[in-house]
């Protein structure tokens, strides 16, 4: 059986973002059971129909990465009770068809969502908004378990890095559930 490929999409472009660190922790948990990669999309331009066809090179690249993945795992912060604009921009590009012959690349992809933030809501509101959007785009959303980590500052080590003192078992549970979720869909194809 071929190794499944999970593509992590982090909703923050900050190099040391807590959600990027959370994605890297998930990668560590999964180890060599899967191919796990973080999508680099900081060069994707703002969505603009004037430059949609032919798509910019950065957009072509991220579409191919999404297309080749067996599952997409979103790691998003919450900005003003919503997910970040950079993530929305990326999804807008991914939601557009590549051509008349090739549909958008998100349809049917298994998706999981996690997130951490300094506030008490974790990222639950952002995640709910994201589920609404990706469900509309026909992604196959794993609604449970989802992971929201509130008060991230309480789970940092002395160097200010994410340590996941209390949340590690929940991330581990979600990681294992997502692998099972993807494998079931791959087998059903």
């Amino acid at each position: 059986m071929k190794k499944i490929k999970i593509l992590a999409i982090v909703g923050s472009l900050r190099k040391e973002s807590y959600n990027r660190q959370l994605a890297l922790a998930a990668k560590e948990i999964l180890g060599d059971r899967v191919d796990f990669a973080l999508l680099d999309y900081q060069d994707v331009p703002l969505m603009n129909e004037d430059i949609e066809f032919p798509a910019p090179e950065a957009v072509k690249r991220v579409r191919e990465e999404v297309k080749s993945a067996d599952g997409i795992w979103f790691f998003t912060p919450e900005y003003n009770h919503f997910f970040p604009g950079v993530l929305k921009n990326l999804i807008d590009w991914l939601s557009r068809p590549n051509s008349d012959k090739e549909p958008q690349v998100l349809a049917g992809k298994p998706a999981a969502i996690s997130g951490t933030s300094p506030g008490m809501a974790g990222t639950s509101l952002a995640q709910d908004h994201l589920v609404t959007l990706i469900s509309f785009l026909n992604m196959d959303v794993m609604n449970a378990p989802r992971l929201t980590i509130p008060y991230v500052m309480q789970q940092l080590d002395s160097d200010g890095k994410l340590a996941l003192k209390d949340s590690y078992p929940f991330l581990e549970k979600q990681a294992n559930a997502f692998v099972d979720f993807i494998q079931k869909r791959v087998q059903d194809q």
Side-chain angles (χ1 to χ4, degrees):
M1 184 169 167
K2 90 170 181 80
K3 210 181 264 196
I4 63 171
K5 180 179 179 186
I6 295 175
L7 184 64
I9 298 179
V10 179
S12 171
L13 297 180
R14 188 170 66 87
K15 223 190 297 187
E16 294 299 320
S17 82
Y18 300 125
N19 284 282
R20 186 175 196 286
Q21 291 179 53
L22 184 62
L24 292 172
K27 178 180 182 175
E28 188 176 303
I29 287 170
L30 292 169
D32 63 358
R33 290 187 290 158
V34 302
D35 286 329
F36 188 101
L38 272 71
L39 181 67
D40 179 4
Y41 64 97
Q42 61 188 344
D43 57 342
V44 170
L46 291 175
M47 176 60 194
N48 179 343
E49 289 179 359
D50 290 339
I51 62 170
E52 186 174 6
F53 296 106
E57 287 304 313
V59 172
K60 289 179 188 175
R61 178 183 50 77
V62 298
R63 282 179 176 162
E64 284 305 311
E65 289 187 54
V66 168
K67 192 173 159 183
S68 72
D70 296 306
I72 307 297
W73 194 342
F74 295 95
F75 295 85
T76 186
E78 186 167 298
Y79 296 171
N80 298 317
H81 295 285
F82 217 82
F83 55 88
V86 294
L87 181 55
K88 174 65 165 74
N89 182 65
L90 174 68
I91 293 171
D92 286 344
W93 275 111
L94 295 173
S95 74
R96 306 293 286 178
N98 289 337
S99 68
D100 293 337
K101 296 174 179 60
E102 193 175 357
Q104 56 99 344
V105 296
L106 295 173
K109 290 280 182 194
I113 304 172
S114 299
T116 185
S117 74
M120 78 175 185
T123 58
S124 58
L125 293 172
Q127 288 188 28
D128 286 345
H129 290 299
L130 185 55
V131 166
T132 299
L133 175 59
I134 65 177
S135 294
F136 171 74
L137 296 174
N138 201 29
M139 291 190 83
D140 188 4
V141 181
M142 183 181 80
N143 279 306
R146 273 202 257 158
L147 180 61
T148 62
I149 301 175
Y151 303 117
V152 70
M153 306 312 237
Q154 296 175 5
Q155 294 200 53
L156 304 180
D157 65 18
S158 59
D159 295 325
K161 302 288 184 197
L162 190 62
L164 291 179
K165 299 168 189 152
D166 300 325
S167 299
Y168 186 88
F170 300 105
L171 180 62
E172 187 174 41
K173 180 179 178 182
Q174 187 184 30
N176 292 329
F178 193 41
V179 169
D180 291 344
F181 187 79
I182 294 169
Q183 285 175 333
K184 183 176 181 333
R185 273 124 190 98
V186 168
Q187 289 169 357
D188 291 346
Q189 291 179 353

